[in-house]
């Protein structure tokens, strides 16, 4: 205390006696204003310090003051201690308040101070302030988001030719890049890939003929539109009897076989829907079929007379590559001049496929004999029940040709101010085989509107923490070719830096129900955002309230798995980045015009009964608020604990086979043990993170490292942080990388070139849980005694053991990564 007193006395002696500006309240006519006065330093001190602080003075330094009364002298001596005590109390209270506030606001960004999310709060729209509140950001976003522009862009885009590789697409590419360049973006560029696309041959169109019992080719069945085809179909001519196979699912083909109608050696007639074209053709190939004809069944679409329906002369387009990207460069990016070995994707079919119209399908169905199809297989094309067949012989000729085609992805970027090397990615398919109003025009319009909106927000003070990357994809109608080639080209960068992918494809296919196809990591965030967005068709309700009114279990109503035909699928199943695709759909009815030449703006507008602008804006609001949270929250709002529920649910499906395996001397104990390790590790880490966040941010950052794959450069960053935690030359950033949980579920034991979709829950291949379950079901089937059954249709113990090992060790690896240090891990089952 004596040292502190000496310093104070020294400072008082050395302080200059300069004049200071003092503000005094002015009475009278100008009451309420402040007036400046110039005063001497000593007089100023008198105003602000009524108690004079003095220490012991040397003898003779100045005349002695008259002796004060005892209590006044005691007050003088105690004054410094009182002031210092008050300062200590104030400082302690301030620190306690600061820590309490930080703990109660775990998702606040550096520039966003969340004070209240009261929906009745009326924000001041003067956004040129130092601090933007969460309500300000919401108001800013909604203010700049324009509903009218969305409808105009959808209409104009649907009128333009934009088949991948066409002259019309080249012109649209230039226009969209120019539109992005006019906005306040930090970077705009294009990425060109040279990919193998398949197109019909105008000189040799695909054909379908009747064949008599002697094998002689008879009457040709007209294919109304020679432009409608299945890209990546096998080329050639096949002949066989016709069989009706419902949707072409494995269970449909097994049912056919059980009813005495073998698909092997025959042409299958299957309906559009439920599964993709590629899955239908692959299933038919696995059961030995010769070829596949795919038609739209009117009973699968809305029967509402007030809504438009698909013409009976219209066939549906769809590719049949069971995979994504360029099938002629599997696992490699298709950049120009790159030399690839002469290989093709294992997902390319070896049998031909062709779309046909409902009119042609009705002519074929009338010729079928054999057993009557099950009631759930019946349709509305005939006045009598459908039969399974077989029917007369048919000859299908497919003459598509492959062409090397340049495609262009367009990029626009707003750099983050704190974590610019972490990307929140949002994309939409730009190309379309036909008008593509619902398929890609809606998504393109929403993407452009979000670019314009966020650009305006940046001009008005918005600074995202992480970078926003807006992408317009090319080649989407051929199997997400543009997005997959980009992922393949920049895999080593993107699996480290991409945080989340948001897809705008197929965003508006109706207005009755809302769906989110997503990774479990995003489920909690989607729930939060749904509570912030108004329903486009239920006034006074949020989307969340609309959903729970129908089904209290909101996630059972909304959440769906990512399908392979979504551009979001490759981000999760191939790269290990959590992704989501939003859709508004009709109530239990498919949008009838998707992938047809009737997917026009007018038909989409009629299906939605004039509500297209409102529904499109609701999707834009959902996507926009999701982007704000993902790009601006200090801690990424990803719920890694959700995967514990997923693991329990999926692996619980194995329980029913325990008895069958035990009879063969096999066990599932290994995978059960790995499941338990993961759930315990996830729960323990969750508790440690949230219990320690209020007390020790350094521990929080160290815990977050355990949620990610420990890449070398991140380990180096962690070492620097631990060595220099308070460097004054830089602001330490939290290791908020929960996104790496998704990466842990990519099997490290299979080759990305041979099995690109390595995700054990969402991927495809023998390493997945789905493949293991399908294999186990063979224990209860009669496939082993079925003539002509392939080896893949018979239970094999050696294959089962390999599958179990792949699944177990991938799951155990995820548990180990969450557990942290090796001395906390026990891999002994």
């Amino acid at each position: 205390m004596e040292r502190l007193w000496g310093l104070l006395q020294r400072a008082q002696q050395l302080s200059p006696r300069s004049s200071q500006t003092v503000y005094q309240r002015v009475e009278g006519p100008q009451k309420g204003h402040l007036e400046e006065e110039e005063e001497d330093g000593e007089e100023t001190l008198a105003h602000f310090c009524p108690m004079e602080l003095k220490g012991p003075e040397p003898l003779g330094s100045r005349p002695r003051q008259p002796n004060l009364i005892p209590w006044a002298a005691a007050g003088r001596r105690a004054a410094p201690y009182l002031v210092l005590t008050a300062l200590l109390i104030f400082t302690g209270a301030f620190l306690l308040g600061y820590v309490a506030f930080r703990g109660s606001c775990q998702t606040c960004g550096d520039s966003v101070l969340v004070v209240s999310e009261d929906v009745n709060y009326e924000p001041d729209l003067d956004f040129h302030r130092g601090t933007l509140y969460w309500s300000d950001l919401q108001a800013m976003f909604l203010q700049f988001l324009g509903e009218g522009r969305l409808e105009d862009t959808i209409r104009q885009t649907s009128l333009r030719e934009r088949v991948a590789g066409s002259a019309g697409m080249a012109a649209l590419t230039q226009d969209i890049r120019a539109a992005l360049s006019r906005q306040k973006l930090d970077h705009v560029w294009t990425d060109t890939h040279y990919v193998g696309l398949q197109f019909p041959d105008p000189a040799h169109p695909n054909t379908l003929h009747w064949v008599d019992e002697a094998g002689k080719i008879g009457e040709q069945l007209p294919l109304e539109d020679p432009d409608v085809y299945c890209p990546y179909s096998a080329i050639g001519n096949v002949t066989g009897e016709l069989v009706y196979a419902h949707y072409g699912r494995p269970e449909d083909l097994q049912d056919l076989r059980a009813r005495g109608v073998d698909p092997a050696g025959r042409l299958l007639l299957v309906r559009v829907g439920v599964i993709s074209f590629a899955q239908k053709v692959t299933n038919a190939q696995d059961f030995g079929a010769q070829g596949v004809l795919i038609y739209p069944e009117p009973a699968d679409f809305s029967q509402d007379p007030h809504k438009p329906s698909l013409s009976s002369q219209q066939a549906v387009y769809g590719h049949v590559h069971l995979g994504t990207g360029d099938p002629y460069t599997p696992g490699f990016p298709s950049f120009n001049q790159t030399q690839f070995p002469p290989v093709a994707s294992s997902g390319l079919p070896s049998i031909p496929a062709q779309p046909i119209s409902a009119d042609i399908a009705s002519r074929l169905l009338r010729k079928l004999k054999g057993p009557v199809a099950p009631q759930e297989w019946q349709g509305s094309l005939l006045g009598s029940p459908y039969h399974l067949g077989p029917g007369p012989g048919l000859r299908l000729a497919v003459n598509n040709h492959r062409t090397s085609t340049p495609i262009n992805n367009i990029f626009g970027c707003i750099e983050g101010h704190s974590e610019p090397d972490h990307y929140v990615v949002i994309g939409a398919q730009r190309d379309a085989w036909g008008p593509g109003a619902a398929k890609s025009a809606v998504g393109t319009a929403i993407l452009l509107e979000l670019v314009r909106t966020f650009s305006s927000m940046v001009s008005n003070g918005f600074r995202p923490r992480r970078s926003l990357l807006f992408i317009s994809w090319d080649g989407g109608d051929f199997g997400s070719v543009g997005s997959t080639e980009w992922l393949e080209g920049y895999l080593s960068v993107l699996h480290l830096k991409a945080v989340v992918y948001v897809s705008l494809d197929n965003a508006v296919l109706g207005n009755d129900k809302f769906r989110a196809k997503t990774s479990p990591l995003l489920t909690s965030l989607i729930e939060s955002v749904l509570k912030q967005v108004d329903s486009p068709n239920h006034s006074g309700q949020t989307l969340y309230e609309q959903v729970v009114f129908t089904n209290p279990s909101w996630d059972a109503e909304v959440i769906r798995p990512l399908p392979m035909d979504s551009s979001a699928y490759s981000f999760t199943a191939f790269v290990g980045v959590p992704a989501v695709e939003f859709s508004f759909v009709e109530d239990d009815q498919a949008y009838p015009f998707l992938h047809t030449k009737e997917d026009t703006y007018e038909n989409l507008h009629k299906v939605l009964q004039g509500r297209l602008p409102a529904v499109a804006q609701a999707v834009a609001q959902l996507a926009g608020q999701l982007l704000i949270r993902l790009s601006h929250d200090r801690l990424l709002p990803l719920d890694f604990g959700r995967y514990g529920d997923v693991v329990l649910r999926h692996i619980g499906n194995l329980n029913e086979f325990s008895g069958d395996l035990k009879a063969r001397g096999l066990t599932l104990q290994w995978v059960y043990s790995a499941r338990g390790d993961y759930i315990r590790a996830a729960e323990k880490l969750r508790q440690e993170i949230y219990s320690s966040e209020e007390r020790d941010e350094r521990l929080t950052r160290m815990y977050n490292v355990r949620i990610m794959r420990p890449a070398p450069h991140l380990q180096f960053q962690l070492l620097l942080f631990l060595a220099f935690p308070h460097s004054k030359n830089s602001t330490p950033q939290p290791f908020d990388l929960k996104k790496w949980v998704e990466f842990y579920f990519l099997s490290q034991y299979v080759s990305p070139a041979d099995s690109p979709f390595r995700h054990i829950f969402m991927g495809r291949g023998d390493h997945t849980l789905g493949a293991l379950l399908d294999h186990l079901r063979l224990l209860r089937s009669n496939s082993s005694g079925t003539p002509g059954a392939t080896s893949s249709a018979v239970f094999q113990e050696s294959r089962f053991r390999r599958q179990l090992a792949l699944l177990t060790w991938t799951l155990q690896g995820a548990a180990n990564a969450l557990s942290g240090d090796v001395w906390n891990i026990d891999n002994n089952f």
Side-chain angles (χ1 to χ4, degrees):
M1 183 63 69
E2 292 179 356
R3 184 178 180 183
L4 180 60
W5 175 253
L7 290 174
L8 289 173
Q9 187 178 31
R10 173 74 172 167
Q12 186 177 10
Q13 292 173 356
L14 296 177
S15 61
R17 300 291 181 174
S18 58
S19 62
Q20 301 181 18
T21 302
V22 179
Y23 294 89
Q24 291 186 338
R25 188 166 299 278
V26 178
E27 303 295 338
Q30 297 180 339
K31 182 177 181 179
H33 296 276
L34 296 177
E35 181 182 86
E36 295 185 5
E37 289 186 359
E38 297 292 327
E39 294 195 0
D40 181 81
E42 291 183 333
E43 295 175 351
T44 304
L45 288 175
H47 281 289
F48 290 97
C49 191
M51 183 177 292
E52 186 179 12
L53 300 180
K54 290 188 177 182
E57 298 184 25
L59 291 175
S61 60
R62 64 174 61 185
R64 291 183 57 87
Q65 299 292 334
N67 288 335
L68 300 176
I69 57 177
W71 64 265
R76 283 193 167 202
R77 287 192 299 272
Y81 302 103
L82 291 174
V83 171
L84 291 174
T85 302
L87 286 173
L88 288 174
I89 293 173
F90 173 80
T91 303
F94 174 82
L95 290 175
L96 286 174
Y98 173 78
V99 171
F101 176 75
R102 292 279 292 185
S104 64
C105 185
Q106 297 174 1
T107 61
C108 300
D110 287 347
S111 302
V112 178
L113 181 61
V114 180
V115 175
S116 172
E117 293 191 4
D118 184 0
V119 295
N120 297 318
Y121 170 74
E122 295 294 337
D124 177 7
L125 296 185
D126 177 14
F127 300 121
H128 297 279
R129 310 194 281 233
T131 301
L132 287 174
Y133 294 82
W134 174 246
S135 298
D136 295 332
L137 282 178
Q138 287 181 308
M140 181 193 292
F141 174 75
L142 295 176
Q143 178 187 6
F144 292 126
L145 185 68
E147 180 177 322
R149 292 185 181 89
L150 281 172
E151 186 174 17
D152 292 341
T153 307
I154 294 170
R155 182 191 294 110
Q156 294 301 321
T157 304
S158 65
L159 294 175
R160 302 184 64 162
E161 179 200 9
R162 55 189 195 284
V163 176
S166 66
M169 172 56 86
L172 180 60
T173 300
Q174 294 299 321
D175 291 346
I176 290 184
R177 174 165 181 167
L180 296 187
S181 299
R182 289 192 293 268
Q183 302 302 324
K184 192 176 181 61
L185 302 177
D186 296 299
H187 309 282
V188 176
W189 74 99
T190 58
D191 208 3
T192 302
H193 298 269
Y194 293 80
V195 297
L197 303 182
Q198 204 182 69
F199 297 96
D201 186 349
H204 302 90
N206 301 340
T207 59
L208 184 65
H209 291 82
W210 291 113
V211 176
D212 62 20
E213 294 180 358
K216 183 179 179 180
I217 297 176
E219 176 191 358
Q220 180 175 345
L221 289 161
L223 301 177
E224 291 92 345
D225 190 345
D227 292 336
V228 186
Y229 71 112
C230 288
Y232 304 124
S233 165
I235 308 304
N237 307 322
V238 293
T239 302
E241 295 176 318
L242 184 68
V243 168
Y244 172 54
H246 202 209
Y247 292 110
R249 299 169 296 183
E251 56 266 37
D252 296 331
L253 301 178
Q254 290 167 359
D255 198 358
L256 265 180
R257 186 174 278 170
R259 294 172 185 271
V261 182
D262 194 349
R266 288 166 168 154
L267 289 177
L268 302 188
L269 178 65
V270 300
R271 292 151 73 147
V272 170
V274 180
I275 59 176
S276 70
F277 278 33
Q279 290 171 299
K280 297 175 192 293
V281 176
T282 298
N283 295 336
Q285 178 178 304
D286 290 344
F287 277 77
Q290 291 285 84
V292 181
L293 300 172
I294 307 173
Y295 81 98
E297 170 59 55
D300 291 335
F301 304 111
S302 173
Q303 305 300 308
D304 188 343
H306 301 291
K307 293 183 177 181
S309 58
L310 184 67
S311 166
S312 61
Q313 291 85 36
Q314 189 66 244
V316 179
Y317 164 100
H319 78 89
V320 292
H321 171 218
L322 189 65
T324 62
D326 182 356
Y328 305 109
T329 59
F332 299 95
S334 298
F335 289 116
N336 197 20
Q337 306 301 325
T338 305
Q339 300 299 311
F340 297 105
V343 296
S345 167
S346 60
L348 284 174
S350 60
I351 62 175
Q354 175 66 31
I356 62 174
S357 68
D359 277 355
I360 298 300
S362 66
R363 292 180 60 179
L364 299 178
L365 286 166
R366 286 190 179 94
K367 298 285 187 178
L368 292 181
K369 309 292 185 182
V372 174
Q375 182 59 40
E376 60 271 20
W377 290 30
Q378 296 297 326
S380 59
L381 284 176
L382 305 178
S384 57
Y386 291 9
H387 287 254
L388 298 178
L394 287 171
R395 180 179 184 271
L396 172 64
V398 174
N399 302 307
N400 304 334
H401 65 96
R402 168 186 163 189
T403 303
S404 180
T405 308
I407 62 172
N408 296 281
N409 299 323
I410 311 171
F411 301 83
C413 177
I414 297 174
E415 280 196 29
H417 72 91
S418 296
E419 302 174 42
D421 59 340
H422 288 161
Y423 315 142
V424 178
V425 187
I426 183 166
Q429 175 183 328
R430 183 174 74 258
D431 67 297
W433 171 79
K439 176 60 183 175
S440 62
V442 170
T444 297
I446 295 174
L447 180 72
L448 292 175
E449 185 60 24
L450 288 174
V451 170
R452 190 195 61 79
T453 301
F454 277 93
S455 176
S456 300
M457 292 174 65
V458 168
S459 298
N460 285 269
F462 174 66
R463 297 181 64 212
R465 181 184 187 87
R466 301 172 189 92
S467 294
L468 286 168
L469 193 56
F470 303 92
I471 310 178
S472 176
W473 303 116
D474 199 353
D477 263 358
F478 292 83
S480 303
V481 175
S483 58
T484 303
E485 294 307 307
W486 183 68
L487 290 173
E488 289 176 342
Y490 301 97
L491 179 62
S492 59
V493 174
L494 294 174
H495 83 268
L496 291 172
K497 298 186 176 184
V499 174
V500 168
Y501 176 67
V502 180
S503 171
L504 298 174
D505 298 339
N506 305 309
V508 180
L509 302 176
N511 70 339
D512 290 331
K513 290 185 178 293
F514 174 75
R515 298 283 183 263
K517 304 165 187 175
T518 186
S519 160
L521 289 176
L522 292 167
T523 303
S524 296
L525 177 60
I526 292 169
E527 178 182 10
S528 174
V529 173
L530 286 177
K531 295 176 180 179
Q532 303 292 324
V533 177
D534 291 335
S535 167
N537 46 20
H538 290 77
S539 179
Q541 284 187 336
T542 64
L543 273 174
Y544 181 83
E545 292 169 339
Q546 173 188 331
V547 169
V548 296
F549 182 80
T550 305
N551 187 346
S553 178
W554 81 272
D555 50 349
E557 178 73 14
V558 170
I559 303 300
R560 298 290 185 273
L562 283 167
M564 184 180 287
D565 56 1
S566 166
S567 63
Y569 179 81
S570 292
F571 275 83
T572 298
F574 176 51
V575 185
V577 174
V580 60
E581 179 178 289
F582 297 122
S583 294
F584 280 91
V585 298
E586 288 295 288
D587 188 6
D588 299 324
Q589 296 290 336
Y591 176 70
F593 306 113
L594 202 64
H595 295 295
T596 74
K597 289 188 175 180
E598 295 182 6
D599 183 14
T600 62
Y601 167 81
E602 290 74 20
N603 277 335
L604 181 60
H605 199 275
K606 289 176 184 177
V607 167
L608 271 70
Q609 299 179 328
R611 301 196 57 79
L612 174 57
V615 178
Q617 189 183 41
V619 175
Q621 290 183 23
L622 275 167
Q625 296 203 42
L626 201 72
L627 293 181
I628 292 173
R629 291 289 309 276
L630 290 167
S631 67
H632 218 6
D633 282 8
R634 187 180 65 85
L635 294 176
L636 281 170
L638 304 180
D639 187 357
F640 66 89
R642 282 276 183 170
Y643 258 118
D645 301 332
V646 173
V647 170
L648 277 174
R649 184 173 69 252
H650 282 298
I651 296 185
N653 295 330
L654 298 173
N655 290 337
E656 61 177 295
F657 301 102
S658 296
D660 301 273
L661 292 171
K662 187 175 181 179
R664 291 172 172 258
L666 301 172
T667 179
L668 292 169
Q669 186 58 40
W670 286 6
V671 74
Y672 291 150
S673 178
R675 176 195 66 184
D677 284 349
Y678 177 83
I679 293 171
R680 284 188 293 272
E683 183 58 29
K684 181 174 180 289
L685 182 57
R686 182 209 290 270
Q687 291 177 0
E688 288 178 353
I689 287 175
Y690 289 107
S691 65
S692 66
E693 190 162 354
E694 294 183 2
R695 298 188 297 271
D696 194 331
E697 188 166 345
R698 180 187 300 185
L699 278 178
T700 300
R701 296 174 189 181
M702 294 176 64
Y703 288 140
N704 280 334
V705 172
R706 284 159 51 185
I707 309 175
M708 58 172 286
R709 176 174 176 262
H713 78 284
L714 291 168
Q715 291 179 346
F716 181 66
Q717 289 181 23
L718 178 61
L719 290 174
L720 287 179
F721 170 73
L722 294 177
F724 308 104
H726 304 296
S727 173
K728 62 183 178 182
N729 296 322
S730 62
T731 302
Q733 301 302 332
F735 286 89
D736 187 18
L737 296 163
K738 301 174 185 177
K739 66 189 181 70
W740 283 105
V741 172
E742 201 76 73
F743 182 86
Y744 294 146
F745 291 112
L746 299 185
S747 178
Q748 306 299 307
Y749 306 101
V750 296
S751 165
D754 298 332
S755 302
F757 305 122
R758 294 177 292 148
H759 202 289
I760 59 173
F761 297 127
M762 301 183 193
R764 291 190 63 86
D766 235 26
H767 60 283
T768 63
L769 177 60
L772 177 63
L773 285 169
D774 289 341
H775 193 193
L776 286 174
R777 292 187 183 102
L778 296 178
L779 288 169
R780 300 181 179 180
S781 71
N782 296 319
S783 299
S784 57
T786 302
T790 63
S791 60
S792 62
V794 179
F795 182 82
Q796 303 171 36
E797 182 176 326
S798 60
R799 180 187 171 207
F800 166 78
R801 288 181 180 275
R802 182 177 185 275
Q803 286 180 304
L804 189 63
L806 290 173
L807 176 66
T808 299
W809 281 106
T810 301
L811 186 56
Q812 186 66 47
N816 292 348
L818 291 183
S819 295
D821 298 310
V822 292
W823 50 82
N824 292 325
I825 300 171
D826 182 6
N827 282 334
N828 293 316
F829 296 113

